Amino acid sequence: GGGDVCVENTNCDRPLVVLDSEIVFTFTGTTTPMEDEDWDIFNQVIFDLLKSTTIDLNIHLESITLIKQKSYEDTNTVEVDVLLRAKYRPPPEKKFSTIAENTFNLQKDTVRANLKKVGAEAKRYYFTTEVKEIGVVSKENATNRPTLSPTDSPTLKPTNVPSLVPSPSPSALPTSFPSDEPSSIPSREHVQEIITATTNEIKNIDDTSHGFLVNMRTKDDSPVLLINGLEFYTETTETVGFEVWSKLGSFEGFEGTYDGWDIVA
């Protein structure tokens, strides 16, 4: 509805006030704007998240409208301006832009996880392969980007007279030789171990994809584990999206969740 239904004890005797707020999302890691299908996914995810927050504040979220997208090659980002529209009955006064900005910034991980999940269900991988980070700020709090052109006036010229005293000479002694003993190995346990998960352990009933989980630890005489590449087979010859995640400690107890994991690639 359009917010005309009044819940008991929510200032029903007062008129509805329209709240419009312009928000700027920044996608880091890409200069490719969203296509229509990707915007539909993004719109759905952020609408559902913001609505779940504003409903507790007696604010009725009505719509999220895309204003524009702009790419920036120098920072490898895409800025996405959207207009949020909602209604509520004051008092108290609500600063909708601050509510929206804080909601998205405090739940960045949830936003990215939901975008990837909904995208995978729609076989759209923009938020998996293109976008690495998502930031958000209200338009009123956003700072203007610096100009690409230099200022008209150059910096002051150096003095024509050189300094009377030369700069100090470097020390005559070279740096000390490296130590014969290597630095101590990290305190982590060095047990060479590979454990794989079963299909039932890694399959989430709400997810449409499978994963491959491995526990790895360094050898006793090696403080570093270097992975040169990964190869796997799929049931299709078409392009598919995939991710590599990592976490310290065992995967056990963390199957089917993004909590505790860091994306690697």
Side-chain angles (χ1 to χ4, degrees):
D4 295 327
V5 177
C6 185
V7 181
E8 186 179 359
N9 298 325
T10 57
N11 304 318
C12 293
D13 58 326
R14 298 181 179 273
L16 283 169
V17 173
V18 176
L19 299 174
D20 282 343
S21 180
E22 191 171 343
I23 298 292
V24 180
F25 289 89
T26 301
F27 297 166
T28 302
T30 183
T31 57
T32 304
M34 290 181 289
E35 296 181 357
D36 291 343
E37 294 86 349
D38 302 316
W39 162 248
D40 290 340
I41 294 170
F42 186 68
N43 191 357
Q44 174 189 338
V45 169
I46 63 177
F47 185 94
D48 291 345
L49 178 62
L50 186 57
K51 183 177 180 180
S52 66
T53 299
T54 56
I55 196 171
D56 294 331
L57 302 173
N58 298 322
I59 297 176
H60 177 78
L61 180 63
E62 289 198 324
S63 63
I64 300 178
T65 304
L66 176 63
I67 299 176
K68 65 179 180 180
Q69 300 184 76
K70 189 170 183 180
S71 301
Y72 295 95
E73 298 283 348
D74 57 327
T75 56
N76 197 30
T77 57
V78 174
E79 287 188 357
V80 182
D81 286 18
V82 302
L83 178 66
L84 311 177
R85 171 159 290 186
K87 290 182 179 179
Y88 90 115
R89 300 178 189 272
E93 296 299 324
K94 306 288 187 182
K95 194 165 185 181
F96 189 38
S97 59
T98 301
I99 294 172
E101 181 179 339
N102 290 340
T103 297
F104 294 126
N105 280 325
L106 291 174
Q107 301 186 65
K108 285 183 179 180
D109 293 340
T110 300
V111 171
R112 290 201 65 204
N114 289 345
L115 287 171
K116 293 175 181 179
K117 182 176 182 297
V118 176
E121 292 171 350
K123 299 188 183 301
R124 301 289 300 183
Y125 302 103
Y126 177 81
F127 296 102
T128 299
T129 60
E130 296 280 349
V131 180
K132 307 305 179 186
E133 294 290 340
I134 298 178
V136 60
V137 65
S138 61
K139 190 70 172 181
E140 60 186 347
N141 291 332
T143 57
N144 293 326
R145 291 177 58 86
T147 57
L148 297 179
S149 301
T151 57
D152 294 333
S153 302
T155 55
L156 296 177
K157 295 180 179 179
T159 59
N160 294 323
V161 181
S163 59
L164 298 177
V165 181
S167 58
S169 301
S171 61
L173 297 177
T175 57
S176 58
F177 290 102
S179 59
D180 295 330
E181 297 288 336
S183 58
S184 60
I185 59 177
S187 57
R188 289 176 56 198
E189 187 177 1
H190 296 283
V191 178
Q192 186 178 19
E193 177 183 13
I194 296 180
I195 302 177
T196 60
T198 65
T199 300
N200 290 333
E201 289 177 320
I202 62 178
K203 182 178 180 181
N204 187 321
I205 59 174
D206 295 326
D207 203 345
T208 58
S209 63
H210 298 270
F212 184 67
L213 304 182
V214 179
N215 281 342
M216 292 185 180
R217 290 180 179 172
T218 53
K219 297 171 60 177
D220 291 336
D221 58 350
S222 175
V224 175
L225 176 65
L226 176 62
I227 300 177
N228 290 318
L230 296 172
E231 293 183 0
F232 56 90
Y233 294 93
T234 65
E235 296 178 353
T236 177
T237 58
E238 299 178 355
T239 301
V240 298
F242 71 93
E243 296 173 348
V244 179
W245 293 72
S246 175
K247 71 177 295 294
L248 289 178
S250 173
F251 65 76
E252 296 179 2
F254 293 86
E255 304 92 340
T257 177
Y258 287 102
D259 294 338
W261 294 87
D262 296 314
I263 191 166
V264 177

